[in-house]
Amino acid sequence: MNFDITILGSGSAVPTPKRNPSSQFINCHNRKILMDCGEGTQFQIRKFKIKLQSIQIILISHLHGDHYFGLAGLLSTMNLLGRDGQLTIYGPEGLENILRSQLKIGDSKFAFDITFKTLFGKEREIIFEDKKMEIHTFPLKHKIATNGFLIKEKEPLRKLKKEAIEKDDIAIEYRHRLQKGEKIMDASGKILDLDRYTYPPKKARSYAYCSDTMPNESNLDLLNEVDLMYHEATFVNQHKARAKSTMHSTAEQAANFAKKAKAKKLILGHFSNRYLDTNTHQKEASAVFENVLIGEDGLNIKL
Ligand SMILES: [Zn+2]
């Protein structure tokens, strides 16, 4: 089943022709999630051929403008194009007020339902869960309350070994339970051997989004062995003091954090527009962590 991430905006506060402000689109088992919504996100959605109305969940990390200024326009377009499907927005306290005021002052109404869920950026929480996946929030370390997000697949089912199942004539009602890894006693009192009848399950895949933040080591246990980690790298080492005073990270700090979390792969993003290219980010991060990707608008990664 699909689990892929498209970077829609890899820049920081000032948009450039090459980099939009923060936004990402995630498809996890056909659950369509938009993560942050910087100005111009709806153009990126169109440019990278994503179906706007397919988005079911929007997650907003914090209320610095480059992470949500695109939301009012995006919702308005959804409405103009006849959306009728429900939408859930998870975001910081105040976001609902901002959006509802914009509508009220313009005397507009949407024809579709939006459910707002408030996040406080103070503690970990599972905010969404269904049969296939779950979304966790975790607090980041930034100037204002900021949420990171972890999207995790549920443990996949074990695959049945058909030959052994048929040979031993295992009852149909036991098969799905075996796939779930249950310990089963059959009618004759015998415990069914899980390894005889099933292959071990594939490891559940996971994706972590650490938007604006200084490295926050209190999240290391939650993010341990994450398959893919996005971490902001607004600055390079030359501007380390600036990273500290603005509560952002350098590329090297992001790489150190990914290494400590034993992440399999790291994508860097949220680059300051002061840098003409990302060669130094790449170099400084790669010196401490080997699997580093530079985020680019339009980059699609399949887990
Ligand atoms: Zn910020």
Side-chain angles (χ1 to χ4, degrees), residues 61-67 142-144 146 211-213 232 246-248 270:
S61 65
H62 67 303
L63 292 187
H64 283 155
D66 54 325
H67 294 259
H142 194 42
K143 289 247 169 183
I144 56 172
T146 304
S211 71
D212 293 14
T213 187
E232 70 122 300
T246 55
M247 298 186 81
H248 282 291
H270 201 264

Side-chain angles (χ1 to χ4, degrees), residues 17-298:
K18 218 184 135 202
R19 297 190 188 277
N20 239 69
S22 293
S23 186
Q24 308 191 348
F25 176 77
I26 291 111
N27 180 354
C28 180
H29 290 262
N30 290 329
R31 277 75 173 157
K32 312 284 172 68
I33 302 161
L34 186 73
M35 197 108 87
D36 277 343
C37 186
E39 191 183 342
T41 294
Q42 60 170 318
F43 298 97
Q44 300 293 83
I45 286 176
R46 194 156 275 200
K47 185 171 166 189
F48 301 121
K49 301 198 165 37
I50 289 162
K51 286 194 182 122
L52 180 71
Q53 305 290 30
S54 73
I55 296 167
Q56 299 147 323
I57 294 175
I58 298 180
L59 307 170
I60 301 293
S61 65
H62 67 303
L63 292 187
H64 283 155
D66 54 325
H67 294 259
Y68 84 99
F69 278 171
L71 203 46
L74 178 117
L75 297 176
S76 170
T77 303
M78 281 179 166
N79 188 51
L80 288 171
L81 296 178
R83 183 176 182 109
D84 52 12
Q86 203 265 345
L87 180 74
T88 308
I89 302 178
Y90 297 83
E93 203 174 8
L95 181 63
E96 180 175 3
N97 264 344
I98 295 169
L99 291 167
R100 295 224 187 269
S101 307
Q102 281 180 317
L103 280 176
K104 202 174 149 202
I105 291 165
D107 199 20
S108 333
K109 273 201 181 81
F110 287 166
F112 66 101
D113 284 337
I114 304 176
T115 304
F116 283 93
K117 307 247 175 155
T118 302
L119 306 174
F120 295 96
K122 290 199 174 116
E123 53 194 34
R124 290 180 191 176
E125 207 184 327
I126 295 181
I127 55 171
F128 176 90
E129 190 172 12
D130 66 12
K131 275 200 293 195
K132 297 290 184 188
M133 55 159 271
E134 55 196 39
I135 305 175
H136 300 239
T137 62
F138 52 91
L140 295 172
K141 239 182 182 171
H142 194 42
K143 289 247 169 183
I144 56 172
T146 304
N147 300 282
F149 297 104
L150 174 68
I151 300 179
K152 247 174 127 172
E153 258 180 344
K154 287 280 171 69
E155 190 81 31
L157 292 178
R158 301 172 76 94
K159 202 168 166 239
L160 293 174
K161 292 181 177 171
K162 279 202 181 129
E163 253 182 50
I165 294 270
E166 275 161 24
K167 192 171 164 220
D168 297 354
D169 200 17
I170 298 299
I172 302 272
E173 68 257 35
Y174 294 148
R175 295 184 188 181
H176 188 59
R177 291 174 59 197
L178 281 168
Q179 282 188 291
K180 291 203 276 185
E182 285 182 26
K183 194 174 179 186
I184 301 168
M185 192 188 284
D186 71 7
S188 68
K190 199 179 87 186
I191 301 281
L192 300 182
D193 180 357
L194 213 51
D195 292 329
R196 177 169 168 77
Y197 299 117
T198 63
Y199 297 99
K202 281 190 186 157
K203 194 182 162 283
R205 295 167 293 177
S206 55
Y207 172 61
Y209 177 72
C210 305
S211 71
D212 293 14
T213 187
M214 305 172 87
N216 186 1
E217 298 207 354
S218 64
N219 293 320
L220 284 175
D221 60 326
L222 180 70
L223 306 185
N224 188 45
E225 294 187 4
V226 69
D227 290 287
L228 181 64
M229 176 189 287
Y230 167 93
H231 199 288
E232 70 122 300
T234 312
F235 297 102
V236 299
N237 281 339
Q238 188 197 345
H239 300 112
K240 203 169 174 177
R242 179 100 186 118
K244 194 174 174 195
S245 68
T246 55
M247 298 186 81
H248 282 291
S249 298
T250 64
E252 187 186 287
Q253 287 168 339
N256 254 318
F257 183 72
K259 188 180 176 184
K260 284 185 188 163
K262 303 190 188 89
K264 303 217 175 72
K265 192 181 271 196
L266 169 68
I267 319 178
L268 299 178
H270 201 264
F271 305 114
S272 161
N273 70 319
R274 78 190 63 214
Y275 305 112
L276 294 177
D277 61 49
T278 48
N279 296 340
T280 310
H281 294 80
Q282 174 85 63
K283 200 172 131 211
E284 291 177 355
S286 300
V288 284
F289 185 77
E290 58 183 19
N291 211 349
V292 178
L293 264 179
I294 294 291
E296 305 287 353
D297 293 14

